[in-house]
Amino acid sequence: MHVLQHLLLLTATMALGDTGQIIHGKKAQSNSWQFMASVQDNGKHKCGGFLIDPSFVLTAAHCDNRSKNLTVILGTHSLKKQGTRYQVQLKIIHESYEKANKGHDIMLLKLSRKVRTSKTVKTVEFPKKDTVMKLPAQCQVAGWGLKETRGEKSEDLLVANVTVIDPKVCKKEWSDVNVKLPKNVICAGGYDTTKGACQGDSGGPLVFRKMAVGIVSFNLHNNCDYPNAPNIYTDISKYASWITKNIKMNS
């Protein structure tokens, strides 16, 4: 790895930015990813998210900026075509969360009203116990925004195939630049590949066999030139009981 990349990783490892990006992805097919949500601040796309219950969207904790104007758009792949907008009634952030690269980067958004599922809006399953993925497991990640570093923005939902990376390899790559990874994460894409998530895809799902297994958390800030250190996702299976408990308590 070039010295410049090492310096960038050391100085800029942090939560993903505000503009969604999927690198080298393809446009999502019609009537797919019906659970995908655009989390918006003052009517502008901020993060991804996904519907796991008729009243709850799951996203990343670092997507919260204490805004009182947070809303969720469901039922569209194009941000030009208005889906259905829902007000956020309640934000539930993991009690141990401090910042993305410290872990516990997970947040539930309770919607102001229940979602009626349809051909364009559906919930997605999430693991209720530890996820076992035989490596190299093939997953998908989706988001809105730039198609490549410093490229043009995309208003369409883009999807990319990514491979789950061995945790030992992932830890070594990050430790080589003096970054200690938090527990309960999955590494996928952004390393030894031309595909992956980037700034602002935060909160979107990592999908394995039609199940959301991870939440886009962090990577190399403002650098989507791959390969570099692997992309980091919150491992949903490690928070299954937390999710279930909070949905039950706040329904």
Side-chain angles (χ1 to χ4, degrees), residues 58-61 92-94 104-107 215 234 239 242-243:
L58 194 62
T59 186
I92 307 169
I93 300 173
H94 195 279
H104 310 296
D105 191 11
I106 185 170
M107 174 171 64
I215 304 169
T234 301
Y239 299 92
W242 180 87
I243 294 169

Side-chain angles (χ1 to χ4, degrees), residues 74-189:
L74 293 166
T76 183
H77 283 173
S78 173
L79 297 181
K80 290 182 179 179
K81 298 178 181 178
Q82 189 67 47
T84 303
R85 186 179 297 275
Y86 295 83
Q87 297 294 323
V88 173
Q89 179 179 320
L90 178 67
K91 294 180 287 188
I92 307 169
I93 300 173
H94 195 279
E95 53 274 13
S96 297
Y97 172 76
E98 295 180 10
K99 57 183 180 178
N101 58 13
K102 294 295 183 181
H104 310 296
D105 191 11
I106 185 170
M107 174 171 64
L108 276 167
L109 300 177
K110 183 179 180 181
L111 306 179
S112 57
R113 65 187 190 279
K114 286 190 175 182
V115 175
R116 290 187 178 183
T117 58
S118 64
K119 290 183 179 180
T120 57
V121 180
K122 293 181 179 180
T123 58
V124 64
E125 291 293 324
F126 65 93
K128 305 302 190 294
K129 57 182 181 180
D130 285 356
T131 306
V132 178
M133 293 183 286
K134 185 177 180 180
L135 300 179
Q138 297 297 312
C139 297
Q140 290 183 307
V141 61
W144 286 276
L146 302 182
K147 300 177 182 179
E148 58 185 3
T149 304
R150 296 179 297 277
E152 295 180 357
K153 292 182 180 180
S154 172
E155 297 290 342
D156 297 312
L157 181 65
L158 300 180
V159 182
N161 296 321
V162 292
T163 302
V164 175
I165 298 163
D166 188 310
K168 292 181 180 179
V169 173
C170 187
K171 287 180 181 179
K172 182 181 184 302
E173 289 299 316
W174 282 94
S175 65
D176 283 350
V177 291
N178 297 323
V179 176
K180 183 179 180 181
L181 289 180
K183 296 180 180 179
N184 304 335
V185 297
I186 297 172
C187 306

